[in-house]
Amino acid sequence: MDVTTDPGAPWLIVGLGNPGPEYAMNRHNVGFMVVDLLAGRVGGKFKRAGKAQAQVVEGRIGPPGPGSRRVVLVKPMSFMNLSGGPVNALRDFYKVPVGNVVAVHDELDIDYGTLRLKLGGGDNGHNGLKSITKALGSDYHRARFGIGRPPGRMQVADFVLKDFSSAERKELDYFVDRAADAVECLVIDGLERAQSTYNS
Protein backbone atom coordinates (compact mmCIF):
# COMPACT_ATOMS: atom_id res chain seq x y z
CA MET A 1 0.00 0.00 0.00
CA ASP A 2 1.32 3.43 -0.90
CA VAL A 3 0.36 6.63 0.87
CA THR A 4 -0.65 9.28 -1.64
CA THR A 5 0.82 12.57 -0.51
CA ASP A 6 1.52 15.96 -2.03
CA PRO A 7 4.33 15.29 -4.54
CA GLY A 8 5.83 18.68 -3.71
CA ALA A 9 5.99 18.02 0.04
CA PRO A 10 9.40 17.26 1.52
CA TRP A 11 10.35 13.93 3.06
CA LEU A 12 11.68 13.62 6.61
CA ILE A 13 14.20 10.78 6.81
CA VAL A 14 14.97 10.06 10.45
CA GLY A 15 17.94 7.96 11.45
CA LEU A 16 17.48 6.58 14.95
CA GLY A 17 20.39 6.37 17.36
CA ASN A 18 21.95 7.84 20.49
CA PRO A 19 24.18 10.95 20.40
CA GLY A 20 27.81 10.83 21.50
CA PRO A 21 30.97 9.08 20.30
CA GLU A 22 30.60 6.21 22.78
CA TYR A 23 27.46 5.06 20.92
CA ALA A 24 28.67 5.70 17.37
CA MET A 25 29.28 2.05 16.32
CA ASN A 26 26.51 0.47 18.42
CA ARG A 27 23.96 -1.75 16.69
CA HIS A 28 21.29 0.66 17.98
CA ASN A 29 22.92 3.46 15.94
CA VAL A 30 22.64 1.96 12.48
CA GLY A 31 19.95 4.54 11.63
CA PHE A 32 22.52 7.31 12.20
CA MET A 33 24.97 5.44 9.94
CA VAL A 34 22.45 5.31 7.07
CA VAL A 35 21.49 9.01 7.24
CA ASP A 36 25.18 9.97 7.55
CA LEU A 37 25.76 8.20 4.24
CA LEU A 38 22.72 9.88 2.66
CA ALA A 39 24.02 13.27 3.87
CA GLY A 40 27.30 12.57 2.08
CA ARG A 41 25.40 11.73 -1.09
CA VAL A 42 23.49 15.03 -1.06
CA GLY A 43 26.67 16.92 -0.19
CA GLY A 44 25.47 18.23 3.18
CA LYS A 45 26.84 18.42 6.71
CA PHE A 46 24.62 17.94 9.75
CA LYS A 47 23.92 21.09 11.72
CA ARG A 48 21.77 21.90 14.72
CA ALA A 49 18.10 22.42 13.81
CA GLY A 50 17.11 25.68 15.52
CA LYS A 51 15.31 24.93 18.77
CA ALA A 52 14.62 21.28 17.91
CA GLN A 53 16.84 18.79 19.70
CA ALA A 54 18.19 17.36 16.47
CA GLN A 55 20.73 17.77 13.68
CA VAL A 56 19.53 18.12 10.10
CA VAL A 57 20.72 18.21 6.50
CA GLU A 58 18.48 19.57 3.75
CA GLY A 59 18.93 18.45 0.17
CA ARG A 60 17.44 16.73 -2.86
CA ILE A 61 17.71 13.15 -4.01
CA GLY A 62 16.93 11.63 -7.35
CA PRO A 63 17.61 12.81 -10.91
CA PRO A 64 17.88 16.57 -11.49
CA GLY A 65 14.60 18.17 -12.46
CA PRO A 66 11.00 17.35 -11.57
CA GLY A 67 11.87 13.76 -10.61
CA SER A 68 13.96 14.83 -7.63
CA ARG A 69 12.56 14.98 -4.11
CA ARG A 70 13.30 17.44 -1.33
CA VAL A 71 14.50 15.65 1.78
CA VAL A 72 15.36 16.63 5.33
CA LEU A 73 17.73 14.14 6.95
CA VAL A 74 17.40 14.02 10.72
CA LYS A 75 19.44 12.72 13.64
CA PRO A 76 17.54 13.29 16.92
CA MET A 77 19.94 14.36 19.67
CA SER A 78 17.50 13.56 22.46
CA PHE A 79 18.49 9.91 23.02
CA MET A 80 16.52 7.06 21.50
CA ASN A 81 13.55 6.87 23.86
CA LEU A 82 12.72 10.60 23.38
CA SER A 83 13.03 10.70 19.56
CA GLY A 84 9.37 11.57 19.01
CA GLY A 85 9.59 15.15 20.31
CA PRO A 86 12.30 16.38 17.91
CA VAL A 87 10.79 14.42 14.99
CA ASN A 88 7.35 15.92 15.53
CA ALA A 89 8.77 19.45 15.90
CA LEU A 90 10.65 19.10 12.60
CA ARG A 91 7.69 17.49 10.83
CA ASP A 92 5.65 20.51 11.89
CA PHE A 93 8.34 23.04 10.92
CA TYR A 94 8.93 21.60 7.44
CA LYS A 95 5.19 20.81 6.91
CA VAL A 96 5.83 17.13 6.19
CA PRO A 97 2.82 14.77 5.92
CA VAL A 98 3.13 11.78 8.28
CA GLY A 99 3.18 9.51 5.21
CA ASN A 100 6.42 11.26 4.12
CA VAL A 101 8.27 10.38 7.32
CA VAL A 102 10.74 7.47 7.15
CA ALA A 103 12.30 6.06 10.32
CA VAL A 104 15.52 4.11 9.72
CA HIS A 105 16.19 1.77 12.64
CA ASP A 106 17.72 -1.46 13.89
CA GLU A 107 15.44 -4.51 14.02
CA LEU A 108 16.04 -7.50 16.32
CA ASP A 109 13.61 -9.90 14.62
CA ILE A 110 15.40 -9.83 11.26
CA ASP A 111 18.74 -11.48 10.49
CA TYR A 112 21.80 -9.25 10.34
CA GLY A 113 21.97 -7.20 7.15
CA THR A 114 18.46 -8.10 5.97
CA LEU A 115 16.33 -5.10 5.07
CA ARG A 116 12.56 -4.66 5.25
CA LEU A 117 10.61 -1.58 4.23
CA LYS A 118 7.06 -1.09 5.41
CA LEU A 119 4.37 1.45 6.19
CA GLY A 120 2.80 1.55 9.65
CA GLY A 121 2.72 -1.25 12.19
CA GLY A 122 3.76 -1.69 15.80
CA ASP A 123 6.98 -0.72 17.53
CA ASN A 124 8.11 -4.28 18.43
CA GLY A 125 9.56 -2.99 21.70
CA HIS A 126 11.83 -0.46 19.96
CA ASN A 127 11.95 2.64 22.17
CA GLY A 128 12.69 5.02 19.31
CA LEU A 129 9.66 3.84 17.32
CA LYS A 130 7.52 3.85 20.47
CA SER A 131 8.34 7.53 21.01
CA ILE A 132 7.75 8.49 17.36
CA THR A 133 4.43 6.60 17.24
CA LYS A 134 3.29 8.34 20.41
CA ALA A 135 4.04 11.70 18.75
CA LEU A 136 2.88 11.04 15.16
CA GLY A 137 0.64 7.97 15.17
CA SER A 138 1.80 4.82 13.36
CA ASP A 139 1.25 5.77 9.69
CA TYR A 140 4.88 6.51 8.82
CA HIS A 141 7.36 4.45 6.82
CA ARG A 142 10.03 2.29 8.41
CA ALA A 143 13.31 1.06 6.96
CA ARG A 144 14.11 -1.88 9.23
CA PHE A 145 17.77 -2.90 9.30
CA GLY A 146 18.20 -6.42 10.68
CA ILE A 147 20.66 -6.89 13.53
CA GLY A 148 19.50 -10.35 14.65
CA ARG A 149 18.87 -11.58 18.18
CA PRO A 150 21.42 -11.53 21.02
CA PRO A 151 23.41 -14.75 21.49
CA GLY A 152 22.83 -17.01 24.49
CA ARG A 153 21.36 -15.23 27.48
CA MET A 154 22.61 -11.75 26.66
CA GLN A 155 20.03 -9.10 27.47
CA VAL A 156 18.53 -7.22 24.52
CA ALA A 157 19.53 -3.84 26.01
CA ASP A 158 23.16 -4.96 26.30
CA PHE A 159 23.16 -6.38 22.76
CA VAL A 160 21.81 -3.28 21.00
CA LEU A 161 24.19 -0.98 22.92
CA LYS A 162 27.24 -3.03 21.91
CA ASP A 163 29.28 -2.28 18.79
CA PHE A 164 28.85 -4.47 15.74
CA SER A 165 31.18 -7.46 15.97
CA SER A 166 34.38 -7.58 13.91
CA ALA A 167 32.76 -10.22 11.65
CA GLU A 168 29.69 -8.02 11.16
CA ARG A 169 31.81 -4.94 10.44
CA LYS A 170 33.30 -6.67 7.38
CA GLU A 171 29.93 -6.34 5.64
CA LEU A 172 28.51 -3.33 7.48
CA ASP A 173 29.48 -0.72 4.88
CA TYR A 174 27.81 -2.77 2.14
CA PHE A 175 24.59 -3.20 4.14
CA VAL A 176 24.46 0.48 5.15
CA ASP A 177 24.99 1.47 1.50
CA ARG A 178 22.17 -0.86 0.44
CA ALA A 179 19.85 0.58 3.11
CA ALA A 180 20.59 4.11 1.85
CA ASP A 181 19.77 2.97 -1.71
CA ALA A 182 16.49 1.50 -0.45
CA VAL A 183 15.47 4.74 1.27
CA GLU A 184 16.21 6.70 -1.91
CA CYS A 185 14.13 4.22 -3.92
CA LEU A 186 11.24 4.52 -1.45
CA VAL A 187 11.22 8.31 -1.71
CA ILE A 188 11.59 8.47 -5.50
CA ASP A 189 9.70 5.39 -6.73
CA GLY A 190 7.30 4.56 -3.90
CA LEU A 191 6.98 1.79 -1.33
CA GLU A 192 5.93 -1.06 -3.63
CA ARG A 193 8.90 -0.64 -5.96
CA ALA A 194 11.29 -0.29 -3.02
CA GLN A 195 9.88 -3.39 -1.32
CA SER A 196 10.10 -5.52 -4.45
CA THR A 197 13.70 -4.42 -5.02
CA TYR A 198 15.13 -4.40 -1.49
CA ASN A 199 12.99 -6.50 0.86
CA SER A 200 14.83 -9.77 1.35
Side-chain angles (χ1 to χ4, degrees):
M1 160 169 88
D2 266 325
V3 174
T4 310
T5 56
D6 171 7
W11 284 74
L12 205 65
I13 301 170
V14 182
L16 292 179
N18 287 308
E22 68 271 36
Y23 299 105
M25 289 305 295
N26 286 182
R27 293 181 177 93
H28 224 18
N29 269 45
V30 74
F32 274 16
M33 297 173 199
V34 174
V35 293
D36 278 337
L37 181 60
L38 286 167
R41 291 182 181 183
V42 303
K45 283 195 181 344
F46 278 98
K47 59 177 193 265
R48 190 171 174 80
K51 293 179 181 174
Q53 219 178 342
Q55 292 184 353
V56 299
V57 166
E58 297 178 49
R60 299 189 81 87
I61 61 175
S68 73
R69 298 284 182 270
R70 185 175 163 223
V71 295
V72 182
L73 308 172
V74 181
K75 293 197 291 188
M77 293 286 118
S78 55
F79 287 95
M80 183 72 82
N81 59 349
L82 298 172
S83 301
V87 171
N88 199 32
L90 291 167
R91 186 194 71 78
D92 204 36
F93 179 78
Y94 287 104
K95 299 180 171 47
V96 177
V98 173
N100 278 24
V101 176
V102 185
V104 186
H105 64 93
D106 56 305
E107 178 62 65
L108 287 158
D109 285 338
I110 304 175
D111 290 340
Y112 173 62
T114 299
L115 197 64
R116 297 271 165 76
L117 299 159
K118 71 172 191 171
L119 173 66
D123 56 57
N124 203 21
H126 193 290
N127 288 331
L129 293 182
K130 202 174 288 184
S131 180
I132 292 174
T133 297
K134 190 176 175 186
L136 305 186
S138 62
D139 294 332
Y140 56 93
H141 289 87
R142 298 101 190 277
R144 305 158 74 205
F145 187 108
I147 59 169
R149 281 267 161 196
R153 297 186 177 183
M154 186 188 288
Q155 294 293 313
V156 164
D158 294 333
F159 179 68
V160 298
L161 292 175
K162 280 195 185 312
D163 289 359
F164 284 101
S165 70
S166 54
E168 288 169 335
R169 281 202 295 271
K170 288 176 183 168
E171 294 184 291
L172 183 59
D173 286 350
Y174 167 76
F175 289 137
V176 167
D177 194 66
R178 189 168 182 272
D181 290 347
V183 170
E184 289 186 343
C185 183
L186 166 63
V187 170
I188 295 162
D189 297 320
L191 180 61
E192 275 184 33
R193 169 71 66 84
Q195 284 176 324
S196 66
T197 307
Y198 292 97
N199 278 17
S200 44

